[in-house]
């Protein structure tokens, strides 16, 4: 079967709004370590990891063995009506590592479901459907999760079950707060929060949901400390804080296990997904017991926390901690970030190299200003693929290259990927605007 045959079949039966990467889409057929191979036999260094999901890499023996052991029992699914040892063991680890006192854990299949569950819990606990969210955010594709998504390219419906009031993001290139230094930006964001509460809400707000680093939004993040400053205001009236750690969790930022920890604050609820399953469908919400226990009726997730996925999750988390992958993310991320900043400092089409650890972005603009340049971004994106490197795209205007390599990335692989990235960016920069 040729890739062209598969592409035609894809277009015949799948919706047009489900995009495919690259002018000539590729089918990935095998993987090992940080590399994947397509149906044509070409191998790539993977710097996007299935959208930051293959966090440990591909074909990892410890994870494969854990899944195979569970499969050999014959119990792939039993439902949460029965005790699931792997689920309990993983919940114990997540609760302990969350930093949230007296924590409870509810498992789902995806980050979207985790955020939906967190919103359900918060609105029930506070008896209010009013929610604060952040501009340029993304929280998922279900009804309420879309309602708190502040990125029009990812908001598939104008309808919303929640009453949402919007706060300024950590955008550093555009917008009112971008003109301020870090301390001034925090002060202005707090003032904005107070004004939003006073003018756009009825007072009994349920929660604020925010990503420590905005994933789909192009790895935009606010100054460290902003969440703590926000939470001081929230605590005055008991408004809950939900940290969406779907992309930032598990040590990816290099600084901490969770993105929220850079702000010196503890959330009431924390959502996680993607990397914890390393490709197996696994996600969830962890939070204060009194908040999780506020669901007033029977509720469960048919496949959430199933024996196979949680077997994988336990193996992933053990591997991550045993190999100190957080420190590796800091080390290899610094090679990429420092190398990129030095190599593209003279290019006026690159407005920013940002991020933390192995969560890095390059933003392209039209030379001489801050106008987004998605066309140049697309050229750099295709040039990376031509050079043997897979990266992602994002940002509100589609003008950001996103890198989220597996946390097992080696220093040599970081330098190899850096060389390809720099060549691709310079190739894109040479084309007239």
């Amino acid at each position: 079967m040729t890739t062209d045959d598969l592409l035609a079949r894809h277009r015949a039966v799948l919706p047009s709004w489900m995009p495919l990467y690259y002018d000539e889409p590729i089918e990935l057929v095998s993987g090992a370590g940080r590399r994947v191979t397509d149906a044509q036999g070409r191998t790539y260094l993977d710097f996007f990891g299935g959208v930051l999901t293959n966090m440990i890499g591909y074909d990892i023996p410890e994870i494969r063995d854990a899944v195979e052991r569970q499969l050999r029992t014959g119990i792939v699914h039993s439902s949460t009506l029965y005790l699931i040892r792997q689920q309990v063991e993983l919940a114990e680890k997540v609760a302990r590592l969350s930093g949230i006192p007296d924590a409870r854990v509810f498992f789902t299949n995806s980050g979207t479901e985790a955020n939906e569950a967190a919103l359900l819990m918060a609105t029930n606990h506070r008896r209010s459907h009013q929610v604060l969210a952040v501009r340029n955010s993304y929280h998922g594709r279900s009804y309420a999760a879309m309602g708190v998504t502040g990125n029009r390219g990812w908001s598939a419906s104008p309808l919303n079950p929640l009453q949402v009031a919007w706060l300024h993001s950590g955008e550093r290139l555009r917008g009112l707060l971008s003109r301020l230094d870090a301390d001034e930006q925090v002060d202005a964001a707090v003032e904005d929060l107070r004004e939003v509460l006073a003018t756009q809400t009825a007072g009994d707000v349920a929660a604020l949901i925010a990503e420590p680093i905005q994933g789909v939004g192009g790895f935009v993040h606010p100054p460290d400390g902003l969440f703590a400053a926000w939470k001081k205001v929230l605590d005055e009236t008991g408004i809950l804080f939900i940290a969406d750690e779907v992309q930032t969790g598990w040590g990816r930022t290099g600084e901490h296990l969770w993105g929220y920890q850079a702000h010196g604050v503890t959330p009431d609820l924390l959502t996680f997904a993607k990397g914890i399953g390393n490709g197996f469908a696994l996600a969830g919400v962890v939070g204060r017991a009194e908040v999780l226990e506020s669901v007033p009726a029977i509720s469960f997730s048919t496949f959430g926390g199933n024996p196979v996925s949680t077997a994988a999750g336990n193996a992933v988390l053990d591997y991550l901690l045993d190999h100190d992958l957080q420190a590796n993310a800091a080390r290899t991320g610094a090679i990429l970030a420092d190398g990129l900043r030095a190599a593209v400092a003279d290019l006026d089409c690159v407005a920013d190299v940002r991020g933390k650890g192995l969560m890095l972005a390059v933003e392209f603009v039209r030379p001489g200003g801050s106008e987004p340049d998605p066309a140049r971004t697309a050229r750099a994106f295709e040039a990376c693929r031509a050079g043997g490197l897979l990266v992602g795209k994002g940002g509100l205007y589609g003008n950001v290259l996103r890198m989220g390599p597996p946390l097992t990335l080696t220093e040599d692989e970081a330098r190899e990927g850096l060389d390809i990235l720099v060549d691709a960016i310079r190739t894109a920069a040479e084309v007239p605007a």
Side-chain angles (χ1 to χ4, degrees):
M1 181 189 302
T2 68
T3 299
D4 287 342
D5 291 335
L6 188 59
L7 176 59
R9 292 167 60 193
H10 178 283
R11 288 173 173 164
V13 295
L14 295 168
S16 60
W17 41 259
M18 199 173 82
L20 288 168
Y21 267 174
Y22 304 114
D23 294 338
E24 297 179 4
I26 59 177
E27 177 193 6
L28 302 181
V29 297
S30 65
R34 274 68 53 194
R35 299 181 193 272
V36 292
T37 301
D38 68 17
Q40 309 307 311
R42 176 144 196 217
T43 297
Y44 305 87
L45 182 60
D46 188 0
F47 267 27
F48 205 39
V51 193
L52 286 73
T53 300
N54 297 307
M55 181 173 71
I56 311 297
Y58 299 88
D59 195 26
I60 306 301
E62 291 87 341
I63 301 171
R64 184 179 63 248
D65 291 348
V67 171
E68 289 177 347
R69 281 195 301 272
Q70 183 60 44
L71 290 174
R72 284 195 295 270
T73 69
I75 303 294
V76 174
H77 174 74
S78 65
S79 98
T80 52
L81 295 172
Y82 304 96
L83 289 169
I84 302 173
R85 184 172 298 275
Q86 296 279 9
Q87 183 185 80
V88 173
E89 291 175 352
L90 183 57
E92 289 171 338
K93 295 171 186 175
V94 172
R96 184 180 72 252
L97 293 169
S98 72
I100 299 172
D102 192 25
R104 299 291 185 275
V105 182
F106 176 71
F107 288 108
T108 63
N109 302 289
S110 69
T112 290
E113 291 178 58
N115 284 328
E116 193 84 17
L119 291 166
L120 169 70
M121 295 162 185
T123 52
N124 268 300
H125 184 72
R126 292 279 291 166
R127 307 307 301 165
S128 169
H129 76 303
Q130 297 181 92
V131 173
L132 302 169
V134 182
R135 300 175 190 183
N136 196 46
S137 60
Y138 176 76
H139 298 289
R141 53 165 295 279
S142 60
Y143 206 32
M146 278 192 298
V148 292
T149 288
N151 185 317
R152 65 189 176 194
W154 290 83
S155 297
S157 172
L159 305 177
N160 194 343
L162 302 170
Q163 181 177 319
V164 182
W166 298 96
L167 303 179
H168 285 284
S169 75
E171 174 67 63
R172 305 292 181 91
L173 296 180
R174 304 172 192 86
L176 293 173
L177 304 192
S178 65
R179 308 183 185 110
L180 308 175
D181 65 29
D183 290 340
E184 291 173 333
Q185 190 172 9
V186 170
D187 291 342
V190 169
E191 185 178 349
D192 173 56
L193 170 59
R194 289 194 179 279
E195 183 176 357
V196 166
L197 288 172
T199 61
Q200 297 184 41
T201 75
D204 56 341
V205 174
L208 163 63
I209 184 169
E211 303 159 275
I213 300 177
Q214 294 181 325
V216 167
F219 293 174
V220 167
H221 61 89
D224 290 351
L226 174 60
F227 287 1
W230 270 345
K231 198 168 189 309
K232 286 182 181 178
V233 178
L234 303 180
D235 286 347
E236 292 172 5
T237 54
I239 299 170
L240 302 177
F241 172 49
I242 305 169
D244 179 344
E245 298 270 2
V246 169
Q247 295 198 32
T248 49
W250 312 114
R252 177 165 290 281
T253 69
E255 299 176 338
H256 306 279
L257 188 69
W258 305 105
Y260 80 76
Q261 291 170 311
H263 294 268
V265 66
T266 302
D268 299 287
L269 296 167
L270 178 159
T271 58
F272 59 88
K274 290 192 180 291
I276 186 61
N278 204 55
F280 287 88
L282 182 62
V285 53
V286 54
R288 292 194 289 118
E290 65 173 312
V291 181
L292 262 77
E293 297 289 0
S294 62
V295 177
I298 294 172
S299 186
F300 72 101
S301 173
T302 298
F303 297 108
N306 71 74
V308 175
S309 290
T310 49
N314 275 297
V316 167
L317 191 48
D318 290 347
Y319 190 101
L320 182 143
L321 297 173
D322 290 346
H323 292 79
D324 195 7
L325 296 189
Q326 177 184 313
N328 190 62
R331 184 168 51 252
T332 54
I335 292 172
L336 287 168
D338 294 346
L340 276 170
R341 290 188 179 110
V344 304
D346 62 321
L347 300 180
D348 58 1
C349 65
V350 175
D352 198 16
V353 176
R354 59 175 175 265
K356 296 181 177 184
L358 288 177
M359 195 172 184
L360 298 168
V362 178
E363 179 158 352
F364 291 83
V365 294
R366 294 180 67 83
S370 62
E371 182 183 350
D373 194 343
R376 196 181 300 272
T377 309
R379 287 194 288 271
F381 180 71
E382 292 286 347
C384 282
R385 181 259 177 103
L389 182 71
L390 303 185
V391 298
K393 287 193 297 183
L396 182 61
Y397 305 102
N399 66 319
V400 178
L401 288 185
R402 294 198 291 157
M403 281 71 72
L407 304 191
T408 51
L409 188 74
T410 68
E411 294 184 21
D412 285 345
E413 288 167 340
R415 295 185 181 94
E416 177 188 349
L418 174 63
D419 289 342
I420 299 171
L421 268 168
V422 171
D423 286 346
I425 292 169
R426 289 203 164 273
T427 296
E430 292 170 359
V431 179

